[in-house]
Amino acid sequence: MITNVLVTGGTHGNELTGVNVVKHWEQIKPTLKLPQNTPSISCTITNSDAVKYRTRFIDQDLNRQFSLEKLALNENKSDELLCKEERLAQSLNKEIGPKSSPSYDLVIDFHNTTANLGPCLIILCKGEFEVSMARYVKSVMPSSVMLLENEKPYEDFPYLCTLGKHGVMIELGNQAHGVNDPSIYLNGLQLLQAILDFCRLYNENNLPALMPVECYHLTGEVKYPDGAMHEYMIHPDLFGHDFEELKSGDPCFISVDGETVQWEGNATFPHFIGEVAYQHLGMAFSTSDRILL
Ligand SMILES: [Zn+2]
């Protein structure tokens, strides 16, 4: 039973779709007549200072603060020893967690990416609930993309959404950080509605027959040939082509001198191609396999 859902935006303060989705829900909530068996829905902006300054974070990435280990490590430290987002993580863990014993059945955290991901639902485990959700959402919104990242146990992820018993991320792209693209916003609302409809049908034990759906399964990350030196770029044949197959021998990078670097690995489905927030790490894209989930 999913009795309560928390919708969060502004975990990265310059990713504005979630900020607007939260504003929208706060406005419509008082007049909303939700069907019976819909979970109660709360929403919150998680890093309001970062939103105010239109920046990803103030000191550190908030969406990397929620592993049980890090929460425990910082729990008894005095505030002056913690950075802004470490303090924020401690208070969010108290307000909307705690992660060790979640008070929300589902946390849906909104993100944007400069990469061409489309309306993407990221699930973090292959639990029955998550798999059914992915199948349902894909069936009612065929343009949505399912991405499975389960390289570690759910509890070990440092993501804010893992404060919920179940947690998912909505990753919407491509949208430049700090920009509000209205069609991306509408995609976000549609994806959220599909998840909420799923929760109601799940509660009623009334889901339609769900068939396995196409899903991308994260396998790794690829760095630029020169790390973060910025003498290489994503090849134009690859840039913007998230979730399209990249085969051995396909052009992958070009140097500032015009030299082409080919992909030498196994065939893969790249995504988060050129995401601007990862450029300082030298990360060019993530890789995935296409599976049926
Ligand atoms: Zn984000």
Side-chain angles (χ1 to χ4, degrees):
M1 190 77 179
I2 302 296
T3 56
N4 56 5
V5 173
L6 179 67
V7 179
T8 51
T11 298
H12 292 138
N14 55 2
E15 298 176 10
L16 298 183
T17 300
V19 175
N20 279 355
V21 167
V22 168
K23 277 187 203 159
H24 168 73
W25 269 90
E26 281 172 345
Q27 282 171 8
I28 63 168
K29 225 181 133 185
T31 58
L32 215 54
K33 289 194 177 63
L34 293 169
Q36 218 183 354
N37 298 318
T38 306
S40 76
I41 300 158
S42 309
C43 14
T44 191
I45 302 291
T46 48
N47 196 346
S48 47
D49 280 353
V51 173
K52 184 173 154 193
Y53 295 113
R54 292 289 191 270
T55 181
R56 185 172 173 87
F57 51 77
I58 304 295
D59 292 326
Q60 283 184 19
D61 191 334
L62 179 61
N63 209 29
R64 301 292 183 273
Q65 304 297 332
F66 296 93
S67 67
L68 280 172
E69 194 183 1
K70 189 153 193 189
L71 287 170
L73 187 71
N74 290 336
E75 192 177 2
N76 297 315
K77 285 187 187 167
S78 61
D79 273 1
E80 57 268 27
L81 293 173
L82 300 176
C83 80
K84 161 83 187 167
E85 277 79 11
E86 286 171 332
R87 288 196 300 275
L88 191 51
Q90 289 297 319
S91 61
L92 287 167
N93 190 44
K94 289 191 184 85
E95 285 162 31
I96 62 178
K99 176 153 172 162
S100 54
S101 175
S103 48
Y104 282 96
D105 291 320
L106 175 63
V107 174
I108 304 168
D109 191 30
F110 269 82
H111 291 266
N112 289 113
T113 171
T114 60
N116 193 18
L117 255 61
C120 182
L121 174 64
I122 302 180
I123 60 170
L124 300 172
C125 69
K126 277 170 90 172
E128 179 248 343
F129 176 80
E130 284 74 11
V131 172
S132 299
M133 180 194 288
R135 289 177 178 179
Y136 179 82
V137 169
K138 181 75 181 169
S139 71
V140 297
M141 188 178 172
S143 64
S144 61
V145 178
M146 302 299 123
L147 178 60
L148 169 65
E149 297 186 357
N150 66 341
E151 70 275 17
K152 55 177 86 166
Y154 174 76
E155 314 73 57
D156 292 354
F157 282 105
Y159 305 136
L160 180 138
C161 70
T162 63
L163 288 178
K165 186 176 163 205
H166 303 279
V168 295
M169 285 177 275
I170 291 180
E171 187 73 72
L172 300 154
N174 55 343
Q175 176 171 282
H177 297 318
V179 168
N180 260 315
D181 180 328
S183 51
I184 298 263
Y185 169 72
L186 293 173
N187 273 336
L189 283 185
Q190 191 186 353
L191 193 41
L192 176 61
Q193 189 61 54
I195 294 173
L196 296 175
D197 289 344
F198 166 78
C199 291
R200 176 175 54 80
L201 293 168
Y202 180 88
N203 286 344
E204 292 170 347
N205 203 14
N206 197 19
L207 285 165
L210 295 170
M211 305 302 286
V213 291
E214 180 182 272
C215 174
Y216 296 90
H217 185 206
L218 176 72
T219 53
E221 293 172 352
V222 173
K223 297 211 163 190
Y224 288 90
D226 59 346
M229 301 301 288
H230 303 298
E231 286 177 12
Y232 285 84
M233 294 162 268
I234 310 282
H235 193 279
D237 289 355
L238 177 60
F239 195 85
H241 293 268
D242 296 72
F243 298 118
E244 292 179 22
E245 190 172 27
L246 179 69
K247 296 193 282 293
S248 182
D250 286 346
C252 192
F253 299 105
I254 55 165
S255 72
V256 290
D257 300 328
E259 172 211 352
T260 293
V261 178
Q262 293 172 334
W263 178 244
E264 291 177 349
N266 294 328
T268 189
F269 293 86
H271 57 285
F272 283 121
I273 298 171
E275 161 55 50
V276 72
Y278 304 148
Q279 296 306 293
H280 70 288
L281 304 168
M283 207 191 106
F285 55 86
S286 298
T287 56
S288 62
D289 289 334
R290 190 164 62 192
I291 61 168
L292 273 180
L293 183 75

